[in-house]
Amino acid sequence: MSMYASKNRLRWAQVPADVKAEVERLAGAPVVRAASCEGGFSPGLASGLTLAGGRMVFVKAMDADAWPGQATTHRAEASVSAALPASLPAPRLLGSFDDGHWVVLVFEYVDGAEPDLRRRPAEASLVAAALGELARKLTPSPIAAPAGHPRLGGWADVAADGDRLARLPALSPWAARHLPRLIALEAEGLAAARGDSLVHNILLARGRVLFVDWPHARLGAPFLDLVMFASAAAGAGIDPERIVARETVTAGVPPHVIDAVLAAHAGFCASGSLERVPPALQPIVAAKTDLAAAALVWLSRRLRAR
């Protein structure tokens, strides 16, 4: 999704001197070079830093006074990342800093890239298999996590918001016509999403799959991540039915449950895509718009088949 990345995100040169000093303390050496990462959506710093001696680290930093909501997300990520078992395929958190004004996370550096399913569709099978393996490792969850799913559901919010409701037909005429059904279906999906697995849906791959960005980790059903990934893959022209049929984590899930969870996923993406946000957060809206469109095409096709 790097095409949606914020081009106005913070650069290392703009970080206050005292915050830079904390980063170097956590990293264990002075910074000699910085390269901003193009992927992702956050308006905060996201840079690969080269240290004196040649070692690299990946650093995320957020001005909590300017972006309090985004800082809360960084704090959640620091908490979850610090608790993850070392055996998981995820970059290790080296340290974090939070003085109430700035939130900083320092990770080990991984030379990789987000999957590009349009250019390299074969990566879909690699990622799907890794998600299945991750679900097995994280069931039951090895760490404490919230049980709610703020990244699922949204159709009821759209129906209650005149502005978003008025703009829904432009996003999806089909969803506008079937909104009551989508509201009922996502309610079932929210119930079906409950479980004791640690679920997560952002990933990075190059040769092997690593899982990054854990602020939204929740307890849930083990098949959630794979359904959402299959939906995203559909947007890249990949058959999502093959993904959910092939992996054991979804192979035994009843079709109506996948429909319901897919409706809840589509509701979250659609609701977010119809929000009016500051320009710095517009890349998030653009990504949610594409994800919503892919999810709704897949869902409408599944529902028509029954």
Side-chain angles (χ1 to χ4, degrees):
M1 297 177 191
S2 58
M3 73 179 74
Y4 308 112
S6 173
K7 304 304 180 186
N8 297 315
R9 69 166 21 136
L10 194 70
R11 298 310 200 251
W12 176 249
Q14 299 170 293
V15 175
D18 59 332
V19 178
K20 286 181 177 178
E22 285 296 332
V23 170
E24 292 180 333
R25 180 184 66 80
L26 292 170
V31 174
V32 297
R33 189 166 56 254
S36 183
C37 298
E38 292 302 316
F41 310 104
S42 166
L45 178 80
S47 291
L49 304 181
T50 302
L51 308 176
R55 186 168 61 91
M56 292 188 68
V57 293
F58 174 68
V59 174
K60 302 174 74 169
M62 185 62 64
D63 181 344
D65 295 324
W67 298 97
Q70 297 289 310
T72 297
T73 298
H74 275 46
R75 290 179 178 120
E77 181 172 7
S79 177
V80 173
S81 297
L84 290 175
S87 60
L88 288 187
R92 185 166 58 94
L93 179 68
L94 303 177
S96 62
F97 165 75
D98 183 355
D99 66 354
H101 300 286
W102 281 83
V103 184
V104 173
L105 294 82
V106 180
F107 291 92
E108 66 175 330
Y109 183 81
V110 175
D111 184 13
E114 293 170 291
D116 188 338
L117 301 183
R118 293 187 184 278
R119 293 183 180 180
R120 299 183 297 274
E123 289 185 343
S125 296
L126 183 69
V127 172
L131 281 168
E133 180 60 27
L134 189 72
R136 286 186 283 275
K137 289 182 177 180
L138 296 179
T139 306
S141 173
I143 68 173
H149 285 277
R151 292 167 69 85
L152 286 176
W155 291 121
D157 294 335
V158 170
D161 182 335
D163 183 54
R164 281 186 280 185
L165 183 61
R167 291 186 290 124
L168 178 59
L171 172 69
S172 171
W174 179 85
R177 293 193 306 271
H178 295 87
L179 187 55
R181 185 179 187 186
L182 290 169
I183 292 172
L185 198 56
E186 83 169 5
E188 296 178 34
L190 290 170
R194 299 184 188 125
D196 62 353
S197 297
L198 188 66
V199 295
H200 162 274
N201 66 345
I202 306 293
L203 42 87
L204 176 150
R206 179 169 288 176
R208 64 188 180 118
V209 177
L210 299 176
F211 295 89
V212 300
D213 293 346
W214 290 84
H216 303 293
R218 292 291 189 273
L219 296 181
F223 56 83
L224 279 183
D225 285 343
L226 193 65
V227 171
M228 288 188 281
F229 171 70
S231 180
I238 295 168
D239 181 5
E241 296 295 343
R242 292 188 63 186
I243 293 175
V244 297
R246 186 169 49 210
E247 297 301 323
T248 56
V249 72
T250 47
V253 179
H256 73 274
V257 171
I258 291 180
D259 295 343
V261 167
L262 184 55
H265 169 59
F268 169 76
C269 295
S271 180
S273 77
L274 297 170
E275 282 189 279
R276 299 190 187 274
V277 300
L281 299 181
Q282 190 58 40
I284 299 177
V285 169
K288 287 180 178 177
T289 299
D290 280 358
L291 289 171
L296 288 167
V297 168
W298 184 24
L299 179 60
S300 64
R301 188 166 62 239
R302 287 180 60 89
L303 294 179
R304 283 196 305 268
R306 279 190 283 283

